[in-house]
Amino acid sequence: MLFQVIMAGFGGQGIMYIGDLFAQACLDEGRHAAFMPSYGAAVRGGTANCVVTLSDTEIGSPLMDCPDAAIVMNTPSFLQFRSSVKKGGIIIANASMIDRELPGGGGDARVVWVPATEISREVTGDAKSANMAALGAFLGAEPVVGAASIEALVTGGGGNRDAAVKNLAVFRAGLAQAFV
């Protein structure tokens, strides 16, 4: 099994964080993973995306041609990557920041519209964890990694405990959202 997902948004939206979490969860589950980040000219507010490749066998190259899935947090990312997701793939789109009525829709991929920013605001009072809502929705719709593996990484990271609690709550709300 080879599965690739591109995660994209503005710098500061936590794209690299969820990409790293996803890749680490793959490794923790005994699979191979490659994480390839890409930053725009500015860190906060510029473009940020990463490709995560997971496989049951060794990964020859992390380069992406036609990913199986995408998590996109803003309109420029949606417009850039929607046509690259393979036919029958899935795009998790942040409905809080992307207009559902954009011409062309999601190309040949299925689009799951998730109000990630609103979910974060409802659960925590701010939008800082919108990335976790999108990741949760992705794993709810495409469970290629166990939610429990992500949860273990979030709670066991040893960082800011308050942020971990918020991220976990938003992740779980996003996970439930994918089935609505």
Side-chain angles (χ1 to χ4, degrees):
M1 168 206 167
L2 180 70
F3 189 90
Q4 288 187 312
V5 59
I6 186 152
M7 302 174 185
F10 293 129
Q13 286 186 303
I15 298 302
M16 301 307 164
Y17 177 68
I18 62 171
D20 186 47
L21 274 178
F22 183 71
Q24 187 60 52
C26 294
L27 293 172
D28 289 351
E29 291 181 359
R31 289 182 271 166
H32 298 270
F35 170 72
M36 190 170 73
S38 175
Y39 298 93
V43 175
R44 183 168 289 280
T47 60
N49 65 73
C50 64
V51 175
V52 179
T53 304
L54 69 95
S55 178
D56 292 330
T57 59
E58 287 188 21
I59 298 167
S61 171
L63 297 178
M64 172 196 70
D65 181 33
C66 195
D68 300 281
I71 298 173
V72 291
M73 297 297 289
N74 59 29
T75 299
S77 298
F78 183 78
L79 293 173
Q80 181 177 356
F81 296 111
R82 68 181 172 184
S83 62
S84 66
V85 176
K86 69 174 52 172
K87 184 175 183 173
I90 185 170
I91 299 171
I92 301 298
N94 182 1
S96 305
M97 297 186 76
I98 304 168
D99 182 4
R100 292 179 183 217
E101 303 303 320
L102 285 172
D108 291 330
R110 175 174 65 111
V111 180
V112 175
W113 295 97
V114 178
T117 306
E118 275 88 11
I119 291 170
S120 180
R121 283 190 182 121
E122 288 172 13
V123 173
T124 68
D126 63 49
K128 292 178 184 175
S129 296
N131 59 335
M132 295 301 292
L135 180 61
F138 169 67
L139 292 178
E142 189 72 45
V144 292
V145 172
S149 296
I150 298 290
E151 291 176 357
L153 288 167
V154 170
T155 58
N160 180 322
R161 181 75 184 134
D162 184 50
V165 168
K166 288 180 178 182
N167 281 339
L168 187 59
V170 174
F171 173 75
R172 288 177 175 160
L175 189 64
Q177 190 71 36
F179 301 105
V180 175

